[in-house]
Amino acid sequence: MKNALLILTFFFFVSFSFSQSNFATTDTNYINLVDKAFGFLKKGECRVCIDAYEQAFEISQRSILSRLRAASCAFSCKDNAKWNRHLNFAIEKDWATAENILKDPYNQYLELTKLRDTDFYNTAFSMIKEIKLKSGYDEVLAAELDIILKDDQELRQKLSNISTEEERISTWNKISELDGINLKKIEKIIEKHGYPGKSKVGAQSSTAFLVIQHSELAYQEKYFPLLEKAANEGEINKSELALLIDRIKMSKGEKQIYGSQVVDNNGKWEFSPIEDEENVNKRGADVGLGPIEEYAKYFNIEYKYIKKQD
């Protein structure tokens, strides 16, 4: 029996959908260079790390994470001009994403967080603070959304460690109840503020999206135009809208577009059917998603598209 997996734990969200994949392009030369650069970073070989990242950026400049990693390599090499240049690029391009990566609430980027209490972090957050002041950042609203986000994610994070079906059902019932409460909170926020996007709440711009993504189909469709407008205005990432599109289509029994939705088939994950599967990576790259092959690894799916014969 196939059961739809209501995925999108925060780990998945940050690592893949939040445009933080190293591979925000399908160009294999870029992917190989970024892999090589990150390998040098982990080994502490800062000079060749910088060189590899800069070669990669000649091909694509979409990954904020890779920019921050390049900046950290340059910082380790005491190359002030380069670490400031790469750091400036990342923050000016998407300060909310850069802030979320640097805060690293789920300990995913230890290669960066080891630089806390250094000029690297002090400079980054000084720049972010200045941008917040200019953009009208709402700290009270951001804090409220942060609480909603934790409520949305806490029980979902525990699902992978649950061993009995009874406990799993009980946990999903609690999640469903919390989702309803959170949706009412988000609706009140939207009624008062409009969509709480990046310019107002930074990284917490994703919270309302997550709650809507986890709601029933009727609410997903109700708020889709609002989310589409937010994506077009840069208030949320286009990758987030792509996930909502896939979720709506899957709920309606249609083929998904971006390959973000997986289903549990008797304990084994597999992708829900994908429209025009041959070009799924091209569509994903257009909205800032990495290759589906990389995403598949999160679920131990050995993904390989085989073109059907005419």
Side-chain angles (χ1 to χ4, degrees):
M1 178 181 178
K2 296 183 180 180
N3 299 302
L5 172 66
L6 299 183
I7 54 172
L8 215 67
T9 62
F10 196 76
F11 174 76
F12 159 66
F13 183 61
V14 170
S15 296
F16 188 75
S17 70
F18 202 35
S19 301
Q20 296 325 306
S21 169
N22 296 340
F23 313 126
T25 173
T26 56
D27 190 297
T28 54
N29 290 328
Y30 174 88
I31 291 171
N32 290 335
L33 284 166
V34 165
D35 276 340
K36 185 186 296 185
F38 188 45
F40 290 140
L41 172 58
K42 289 189 288 186
K43 290 187 289 186
E45 299 177 10
C46 62
R47 181 55 58 187
V48 285
C49 169
I50 298 169
D51 291 342
Y53 272 125
E54 292 190 337
Q55 289 178 58
F57 298 149
E58 291 177 5
I59 300 170
S60 175
Q61 302 189 24
R62 297 176 66 173
S63 173
I64 304 302
L65 175 57
S66 290
R67 275 287 176 171
L68 291 173
R69 284 172 170 167
S72 75
C73 288
F75 183 81
S76 296
C77 271
K78 296 181 172 57
D79 190 330
N80 292 340
K82 286 190 174 182
W83 76 258
N84 274 287
R85 176 162 56 85
H86 290 305
L87 186 64
N88 274 313
F89 182 96
I91 292 173
E92 288 177 4
K93 185 174 179 64
D94 191 340
W95 67 267
T97 294
E99 181 184 40
N100 192 66
I101 292 171
L102 292 171
K103 285 185 174 180
D104 195 18
Y106 291 88
N107 299 316
Q108 294 174 263
Y109 309 116
L110 300 182
E111 73 280 1
L112 296 175
T113 54
K114 70 180 182 180
L115 297 178
R116 283 176 178 165
D117 301 320
T118 68
D119 285 344
F120 183 87
Y121 261 67
N122 292 338
T123 300
F125 281 101
S126 177
M127 291 173 60
I128 291 168
K129 183 178 180 180
E130 185 176 344
I131 293 172
K132 283 181 176 181
L133 288 172
K134 291 179 180 178
S135 69
Y137 182 79
D138 190 329
E139 290 189 12
V140 174
L141 180 57
E144 182 180 352
L145 288 165
D146 186 51
I147 293 171
I148 294 172
L149 175 65
K150 288 174 182 175
D151 284 343
D152 178 90
Q153 290 294 302
E154 188 174 10
L155 289 176
R156 284 182 166 88
Q157 292 282 342
K158 295 177 179 179
L159 281 170
S160 60
N161 296 320
I162 293 175
S163 57
T164 67
E165 186 65 20
E166 182 181 359
E167 188 178 1
R168 180 176 291 274
I169 291 172
S170 174
T171 301
W172 271 115
N173 287 338
K174 292 176 183 176
I175 288 172
S176 180
E177 182 180 352
L178 265 175
D179 284 351
I181 294 170
N182 286 334
L183 180 61
K184 290 179 181 178
K185 292 178 180 178
I186 290 299
E187 288 192 295
K188 288 181 179 179
I189 288 172
I190 289 174
E191 186 178 343
K192 182 177 181 180
H193 299 277
Y195 188 87
K198 287 183 181 181
S199 60
K200 186 176 287 289
V201 295
Q204 293 302 333
S205 63
S206 300
T207 300
F209 155 75
L210 274 172
V211 172
I212 292 167
Q213 175 86 337
H214 291 151
S215 66
E216 295 178 357
L217 177 61
Y219 290 101
Q220 293 171 356
E221 293 187 314
K222 174 183 177 181
Y223 288 108
F224 181 82
L226 182 68
L227 286 159
E228 185 176 38
K229 182 174 182 289
N232 289 336
E233 294 175 350
E235 291 295 336
I236 61 171
N237 294 314
K238 289 185 177 179
S239 55
E240 294 168 304
L241 185 69
L243 297 180
L244 182 58
I245 289 170
D246 276 357
R247 180 64 63 85
I248 290 173
K249 284 188 170 292
M250 190 178 74
S251 296
K252 296 171 74 171
E254 301 173 5
K255 290 184 177 181
Q256 59 177 322
I257 302 297
Y258 299 99
S260 66
Q261 304 300 298
V262 298
V263 294
D264 178 359
N265 184 11
N266 294 321
K268 186 177 181 180
W269 302 126
E270 60 184 40
F271 286 102
S272 182
I274 301 169
E275 182 75 31
D276 183 22
E277 193 169 353
E278 183 177 2
N279 294 303
V280 65
N281 279 337
K282 182 180 183 302
R283 293 193 298 273
D286 287 343
V287 295
L289 294 174
I292 194 171
E293 291 84 358
E294 294 298 319
Y295 177 46
K297 293 176 183 178
Y298 288 114
F299 305 98
N300 294 318
I301 298 174
E302 293 184 11
Y303 177 84
K304 186 175 182 181
Y305 172 70
I306 300 175
K307 186 175 181 178
K308 295 179 180 178
Q309 297 296 322
D310 294 333

